[in-house]
Amino acid sequence: MKFSTLSKTKRTLSALALIVLALAFFFARNDFEYFKYYVYDFTPETERYAALADTTGDTVAKAVAESKALAIFTGDTGHITKGKLLDASYKKEYDQLPEKLYALSFGETIYCVTCKDGKSEKQHGYSVIETNTPQDLEKYQPRVGQENWKAYLKLAIKGAVEYPTLLPTLLNDNYLVSAEDFGRKYGSDFDAFYLKELPYGVKEKLLDFYSSDAGTGYRFLNSGNLKYSSLLREGDFSGQDKKEIAILLKDTREELDDSYLLLVFLRKNDPSLHPEYYIAFNEVFHGKVIIETVYKDPEERWDHKVFMNTEEKVETRYNSLRILRPEQRDTVLIYDEKFDRMKKYIQVPKSEKNKIS
């Protein structure tokens, strides 16, 4: 009986050992990185960032935040660019790749290769994956546009070139944050694609407004039959190529009636990388409301002229903003240079406006 029991135990242990070996073989042969980076992407971004921060533990998360080994990009413009050629025998492969390897977008995760060894280079080197081994890089399925970055990393792993850097250098300190800080600051407020595309300065002003007493109940909600393009518009309202924003925020405290706040963000004459924005118009509208951009260029849209206390419609110097409400006359917002704000014009001839008044 003892011998039989011992034999059964040995057989059980042997079977368990075979199962462990089989699992190890399975994960070694299968592209586990694919599941990590692609299937995982189907979850909301805020949950992914929270997972990145929470699963590591407080101590490790702080270390990551300090070293920026894992960082999330929060700026408008950032390019992964080539480093120096270190081995002349790879010059042909090096020259075939463009100087700018990849353009980063808001919310993208990158990994600092040179941060992990405690060095303090002015320009760190960055990778698309955390573990820079030839095997892991080969398995990595690049996103659209990352092919050149991956090809360059193959040279970097061989020691033929320096790891790619993030330009401009200013971004390394100001616009790269840890997953924990990203989740804490942005939450779910900019998950939608069209909100990610908002300029950095507008995001900052919106966050300030949301945290204020006046903005506590307001959020951007693309609900019902209203498309996001009817609630969020971009235009050159106060100058050429300024990329200024008009956005309708819904009062989430109103359950029975629709109430929207229109904010127009104008850009200061600031040549810096991420210029500052300011609110040049705000008004609350009760009931449904949508906005449209009135383009200065008639080729963009046929209805490009507006009434500005005139008998006939005239062209505006820059883009203007049309406000449409049910059973209401259209209103157009046009930049007033004297007072540096958006001024309202009811869309009727001057004589008819006087009669209405």
Side-chain angles (χ1 to χ4, degrees):
M1 287 293 291
K2 290 182 180 179
F3 178 78
S4 177
T5 302
L6 184 61
S7 298
K8 288 181 179 179
T9 302
K10 287 181 177 180
R11 286 197 297 271
T12 301
L13 291 174
S14 297
L16 288 173
L18 287 172
I19 292 172
V20 170
L21 287 172
L23 288 172
F25 179 77
F26 171 80
F27 286 114
R29 289 293 301 274
N30 285 274
D31 193 353
F32 190 68
E33 289 296 313
Y34 176 87
F35 293 94
K36 179 179 179 182
Y37 287 97
Y38 284 84
V39 176
Y40 195 45
D41 280 353
F42 283 99
T43 60
E45 289 196 2
T46 48
E47 293 182 18
R48 292 197 289 117
Y49 299 137
L52 287 170
D54 295 341
T55 56
T56 55
D58 291 339
T59 304
V60 180
K62 288 179 181 177
V64 168
E66 291 173 0
S67 68
K68 295 185 180 176
L70 179 152
I72 297 174
F73 182 68
T74 63
D76 293 338
T77 305
H79 291 278
I80 299 295
T81 61
K82 294 194 299 187
K84 294 179 181 179
L85 177 66
L86 302 177
D87 188 339
S89 63
Y90 289 92
K91 188 177 187 305
K92 181 180 179 181
E93 293 90 334
Y94 178 84
D95 290 341
Q96 286 176 343
L97 292 170
E99 188 64 28
K100 292 181 178 179
L101 300 168
Y102 182 68
L104 286 171
S105 299
F106 174 82
E108 285 196 82
T109 300
I110 61 177
Y111 297 91
C112 181
V113 181
T114 58
C115 296
K116 298 177 183 178
D117 53 15
K119 294 180 181 179
S120 57
E121 291 95 336
K122 291 182 180 179
Q123 288 184 302
H124 290 301
Y126 293 94
S127 174
V128 293
I129 58 175
E130 185 174 7
T131 54
N132 285 280
T133 65
Q135 295 81 6
D136 290 337
L137 185 62
E138 191 64 37
K139 290 187 293 183
Y140 177 72
Q141 300 294 323
R143 295 180 180 179
V144 176
Q146 288 185 339
E147 296 81 6
N148 289 328
W149 190 5
K150 179 178 177 179
Y152 184 87
L153 286 170
K154 290 181 179 179
L155 299 178
I157 288 175
K158 295 176 181 178
V161 296
E162 291 181 340
Y163 275 93
T165 57
L166 173 61
L167 292 181
T169 310
L170 174 68
L171 297 175
N172 289 348
D173 295 323
N174 293 354
Y175 304 108
L176 290 177
V177 300
S178 67
E180 186 178 22
D181 289 340
F182 184 92
R184 182 187 301 112
K185 180 176 181 178
Y186 295 100
S188 59
D189 290 325
F190 301 99
D191 269 359
F193 172 78
Y194 37 88
L195 295 178
K196 291 180 186 177
E197 296 296 301
L198 290 176
Y200 178 86
V202 173
K203 290 191 186 83
E204 292 294 299
K205 289 296 180 183
L206 274 177
L207 289 174
D208 290 342
F209 176 70
Y210 288 158
S211 61
S212 69
D213 292 338
T216 301
Y218 286 99
R219 286 298 183 274
F220 183 87
L221 294 178
N222 181 21
S223 59
N225 294 323
L226 293 180
K227 299 179 180 178
Y228 84 89
S229 58
S230 298
L231 303 171
L232 174 63
R233 303 298 296 184
E234 177 185 315
D236 304 327
F237 302 126
S238 69
Q240 196 64 32
D241 301 323
K242 279 200 167 185
K243 193 178 180 181
E244 295 167 321
I245 301 296
I247 185 170
L248 281 165
L249 305 177
K250 193 174 189 304
D251 190 344
T252 59
R253 296 164 297 188
E254 293 285 348
E255 296 183 1
L256 299 178
D257 298 319
D258 289 318
S259 182
Y260 290 90
L261 170 65
L262 174 60
L263 296 177
V264 180
F265 294 93
L266 299 185
R267 172 179 166 175
K268 291 186 177 180
N269 294 319
D270 183 355
S272 64
L273 181 67
H274 293 308
E276 188 175 348
Y277 285 77
Y278 60 99
I279 297 175
F281 182 86
N282 71 87
E283 184 174 333
V284 174
F285 296 91
H286 298 287
K288 294 290 185 182
V289 57
I290 62 176
I291 52 178
E292 295 178 344
T293 306
V294 182
Y295 296 96
K296 179 178 179 290
D297 187 349
E299 293 182 2
E300 294 284 346
R301 177 171 292 194
W302 64 271
D303 189 13
H304 64 287
K305 295 183 178 181
V306 298
F307 289 110
M308 293 177 61
N309 287 336
T310 55
E311 283 300 315
E312 303 292 335
K313 287 187 175 183
V314 297
E315 290 189 14
T316 59
R317 185 176 180 183
Y318 306 114
N319 297 158
S320 50
L321 194 72
R322 192 190 312 277
I323 303 171
L324 298 92
R325 303 174 66 193
E327 301 179 2
Q328 299 274 349
R329 296 183 183 273
D330 293 352
T331 303
V332 168
L333 297 181
I334 298 173
Y335 179 63
D336 186 326
E337 293 186 9
K338 183 178 180 179
F339 293 99
D340 190 26
R341 66 181 180 87
M342 301 297 285
K343 185 176 179 180
K344 287 198 302 183
Y345 293 92
I346 298 175
Q347 289 308 285
V348 295
K350 184 178 181 180
S351 56
E352 187 176 341
K353 178 185 175 185
N354 292 335
K355 289 179 182 178
I356 294 173
S357 300

